Amino acid sequence: MTWLLVIVGAAVGAPLRYLTDRAVQARHDSVFPWGTFVVNAAGSLLLGALTGAAATTDTYALLGTGLCGALTTYSTFSYETLRLAERGWRFLAAANVAASVLVGLGAVFLGAGLTGGTLA
Amino acid sequence: MSERPEAIDPDVDLHVPDQRAETVGGAKWPVLAVISAGGALGASARYGLALAWPVPVGGFPWSTLAINVLGCALIGVLMPLISEGGRRAHHLVRPFLGVGVLGGFTTFSTYAVEVSRLLARQQAGLAMAYAAGTLLGALGAVSLAATATRRALAARTGAEYGVRTP
């Protein structure tokens, strides 16, 4: 049952990442991967909020493990960082790593704060 | 002939004309369907591994680290095979395997929450080790896998043309 909730959440989260990535790129033409940056930050904010709210097992499976897990991605983040570095945009590659991690962590704390919970 | 632009973002890069066009009209439904199915498969595998390899509260999140490093190694194999150097694959391969399966398997949000939880528990050393360990593992894996795959492809292409490779 819980497994089904993960599947349903991910079945929405993965296409949502793809469509959000497209929408961001369509509005902001850049070699910097803003689309992936935005979905990773947004997913971290939502997962921080769910963690802070001490969501039930089912809610966490659907929206956390499923939706946020598939909305965010480490594989896309790492390959695009490699590509930036290989194309000579070493500063953008380093900035992508630093900004994604720092904003991701900030988003988690913000999300947890918004739901009034604690992460520990 | 102008060089075909290559993607930076493997999920979708609107600088690549084929990828820009893949949501035009009815073409978008099979693309979204295989992304959705791939995402469900990848997330299921991640969930299964996390269940099989639970991490105690305050422990080092080995399962997420392994999942993310493995997923990064796999995209480092996939992308050179299907999109680099002018290579092409069926137009649903990248959406299904790259965007769906590997994107659904790996996770940035869980990584960020796990680092934050260790920080909130005053386990700064463990938080730093996990944060940096995942980054180094993921970037090292994608780089090594992509390099090895490109070499293997170049050796095969060379062999087809009767060129000896060292």
Side-chain angles (χ1 to χ4, degrees):
Chain A
M1 180 57 205
T2 310
W3 207 302
L4 198 62
L5 293 169
V6 172
I7 287 175
V8 171
V12 174
L16 188 59
R17 165 164 38 86
Y18 172 81
L19 293 172
T20 306
D21 198 342
R22 288 190 72 101
V24 170
Q25 288 184 38
R27 279 157 189 77
H28 192 82
D29 185 22
S30 162
V31 294
F32 189 83
W34 285 111
T36 310
F37 174 82
V38 166
V39 290
N40 278 344
S44 299
L45 180 76
L46 179 56
L47 195 62
L50 288 167
T51 307
T56 63
T57 306
D58 283 355
T59 307
Y60 199 87
L62 179 71
L63 298 179
T65 310
L67 184 80
C68 290
L71 176 65
T72 64
T73 169
Y74 223 97
S75 49
T76 299
F77 162 71
S78 72
Y79 181 77
E80 70 198 7
T81 302
L82 174 71
R83 294 294 282 172
L84 284 172
E86 286 174 345
R87 295 277 285 272
W89 291 306
R90 290 183 170 275
F91 173 77
L92 291 182
N96 190 38
V97 170
S100 295
V101 172
L102 292 177
V103 171
L105 295 182
V108 169
F109 279 96
L110 178 64
L114 287 174
T115 49
T118 169
L119 287 167
Chain B
M1 196 180 84
S2 67
E3 196 187 341
R4 199 167 72 93
E6 289 196 342
I8 296 287
D9 182 341
D11 275 355
V12 62
D13 198 317
L14 300 187
H15 296 108
V16 180
D18 289 353
Q19 295 185 20
R20 176 175 274 275
E22 70 192 5
T23 54
V24 173
K28 66 173 157 299
W29 298 115
V31 172
L32 293 176
V34 299
I35 291 172
S36 187
L41 271 174
S44 295
R46 168 165 46 81
Y47 179 63
L49 279 174
L51 281 183
W53 198 357
V55 170
V57 176
F60 191 88
W62 283 110
S63 43
T64 313
L65 185 147
I67 285 164
N68 280 334
V69 171
L70 175 61
C72 290
L74 291 175
I75 204 160
V77 173
L78 177 70
M79 296 310 290
L81 282 176
I82 66 169
S83 78
E84 293 181 6
R87 269 178 299 278
R88 295 256 175 123
H90 187 279
H91 73 286
L92 293 178
V93 171
R94 189 196 93 262
F96 178 66
L97 291 179
V99 188
V101 174
L102 295 180
F105 183 59
T106 62
T107 172
F108 196 90
S109 49
T110 302
Y111 161 78
V113 162
E114 286 166 342
V115 174
S116 303
R117 293 192 87 156
L118 289 171
L119 286 174
R121 291 173 56 86
Q122 315 280 321
Q123 294 176 285
L126 209 54
M128 291 288 288
Y130 174 60
T134 299
L135 268 179
L136 293 175
L139 294 173
V142 74
S143 177
L144 286 174
T147 303
T149 307
R150 290 166 187 160
R151 281 195 186 148
L153 287 168
R156 202 179 63 174
T157 308
E160 280 168 10
Y161 288 91
V163 178
R164 275 175 61 89
T165 46

